[in-house]
Amino acid sequence: MLSPAPVVPVILAGGSGTRLWPVSRDSLPKQFQALIGDHTLYQDTLRRVSDRTLFAPPIVLTHEDFRFFARRQASDLGMDVTVALEPTRRDSGPALLAAAMIAQRLAGESCLVLALAADHIVLDEQLFVDACRTAAIAASDGRIVTFGITPTEPSTAYGYIRPGGETGQPDARVVDAFVEKPDQKTATGYLADGYLWNSGNFLFPAGLLIEEAERFEPEIVASVREAVELAVEDLGFIRLDARAFASSPAKSIDYAVMERTSRAAVVEGRFRWSDIGSWDALRGVSESDASGNVTHGPVTLLDSHNTFVHSDGPLVAAVGLDDVSVVATEDAVLVMPAHRSQDVKALVAKLKSDGHNAASEHLKAHRPWGTYQTICRGERFHVKKIVVEPGGRLSLQKHYHRAEHWVVVKGTAEVTLDGKVFEVRENESTYLPLGGVHRLANPGKIPLELIEVQTGSYLGEDDIVRIEDVYNRS
């Protein structure tokens, strides 16, 4: 049986995911990275809601910094999405309410909304779709449905749900209580008593969630409604009004509505699921070898057991490890006992307080037009590799403290310098003097690659005066 109203998937894709440092950082968080398989976690989430007999085209709610990732990675799948931008992070309550109001505008007042985190892993997609169909029927009967996951162990990393009596709809039960993350002894008791893990994903009538939130948190609803009503379109993105949205109290949807409403129901999800909240969680959904080791990337282990090694570039070779986690990127290495993976968030906070750029920034920086990556840095010089995607155009800009040399190694560059436009081809170069008004663009059909050598007294990224920008960056 299909639900009588369209189900609009809402993908929440604005988180930072610091517990998966050094792979996940503020500049490129885990949802936009391929941690398992060939697609990013965000793309896998989009693929799970691609059945148009049940799901309408998705709405993605993300942060300003990630708007082009969200659209580009959806486009790579051939999917059309509506991308709405949170001006500031106010937790899941305001975010979901904004998405529900946008869904009503796009799909009608009576639509159902499926709220999903962009950084979760689901390994049994058909079971997931089956659970969504069950939840949609219960939601159509006036319920805010959460997905409870069948526990595989007495985990202390998740909140739990205590299911109650039947709702009158098949396979949907009343929620007796939401409970916080327990200690080990309590978690063991929860398993014996039939509790479920709280996945933090929901399916609900858009109007009902707004109605219940208005009962409990009228200030949040008023602020969010104003932010949606004053939203503007910017380069195809829905930009919520910054002042109105920022005036909303920050509160999770659990505290704002789910733990207080009498309309909550739970559908048991029998699919394998993880919120990938730590490296240990990623290890738990990965295949291990005969020695219990899980490896990703160029890794060689000798006489090692129950060890997790993830490398995004450098060769990692290890001898005699047992129950250890190692994560290596081009500019940072994390080593820890496997059971300490929940402490990575505190480690990142210390790195930030100590002023390490690698706490937040990757060597490769992503921009709407492509990427740049540091090759070498020294006193008064900085060497980068720049890649501009076909059709990409950097801003028309100038610098007060540096000059630049560009050497094209692949493709053809269109260069604007002080009003003149000319092409620079492979194995050719050009010089941009300090203060010169310039722009780089790729008019070709293949990525443009060049080496940039900066020289000057100050080489910070904030020494950019943007005169004109097709991406509307400030």
Side-chain angles (χ1 to χ4, degrees), residues 351-375:
L351 290 171
K352 289 182 177 180
S353 69
D354 291 343
H356 291 287
N357 287 337
S360 300
E361 302 290 332
H362 288 86
L363 273 184
K364 179 183 287 186
H366 293 260
R367 294 293 182 264
W369 43 262
T371 63
Y372 69 81
Q373 180 171 347
T374 294
I375 297 174

Side-chain angles (χ1 to χ4, degrees), residues 48 127 151 254 326 329 417 460:
R48 284 196 290 275
L127 292 178
D254 294 286
V326 180
T329 64
L417 178 60

Side-chain angles (χ1 to χ4, degrees), residues 298-365:
V299 177
T300 299
L301 299 179
L302 180 64
D303 191 26
S304 295
H305 307 275
N306 305 313
T307 289
F308 175 87
V309 184
H310 179 110
S311 175
D312 277 350
L315 169 65
V316 176
V319 179
L321 298 184
D322 188 12
D323 202 29
V324 171
S325 293
V326 180
V327 183
T329 64
E330 292 185 3
D331 64 334
V333 178
L334 170 68
V335 182
M336 62 185 169
H339 69 276
R340 297 291 299 273
S341 62
Q342 291 291 339
D343 295 330
V344 173
K345 183 176 182 179
L347 175 64
V348 173
K350 185 177 189 309
L351 290 171
K352 289 182 177 180
S353 69
D354 291 343
H356 291 287
N357 287 337
S360 300
E361 302 290 332
H362 288 86
L363 273 184
K364 179 183 287 186

Side-chain angles (χ1 to χ4, degrees), residues 87 94 97-98 101-102 105 210 214 218-232 238-248:
L97 287 167
M101 294 175 190
I102 294 170
R105 290 188 174 190
I210 297 167
E214 206 149 25
E219 186 180 353
I220 293 179
V221 174
S223 297
V224 172
R225 182 172 284 123
E226 184 180 6
V228 173
E229 289 175 350
L230 297 177
V232 297
I238 297 175
R239 189 179 291 277
L240 299 174
D241 183 76
R243 180 199 58 79
F245 197 77
S247 71
S248 170

Side-chain angles (χ1 to χ4, degrees), residues 254-285:
D254 294 286
Y255 290 133
V257 176
M258 295 305 296
E259 295 183 5
R260 301 154 81 178
T261 181
S262 61
R263 311 295 288 276
V266 59
V267 165
E268 184 175 355
R270 295 178 173 84
F271 45 87
R272 289 171 293 167
W273 164 89
S274 175
D275 67 355
I276 309 299
S278 66
W279 285 112
D280 199 40
L282 183 61
R283 172 183 177 176
V285 295

Side-chain angles (χ1 to χ4, degrees), residues 96-169:
L96 274 185
L97 287 167
M101 294 175 190
I102 294 170
Q104 285 184 317
R105 290 188 174 190
L106 297 177
E109 295 289 321
S110 63
C111 71
L112 303 178
V113 170
L114 170 63
L116 299 173
D119 55 0
H120 290 188
I121 285 178
V122 171
L123 296 179
D124 307 289
E125 294 195 5
Q126 188 54 55
L127 292 178
F128 167 80
V129 173
D130 292 344
C132 288
R133 292 188 188 277
T134 299
I137 295 169
S140 297
D141 197 39
R143 294 284 181 175
I144 302 174
V145 182
T146 184
F147 294 91
I149 306 299
T150 307
T152 57
E153 60 178 332
S155 173
T156 61
Y158 302 129
Y160 284 73
I161 297 169
R162 185 173 72 226
E166 298 292 334
T167 64
Q169 295 297 330

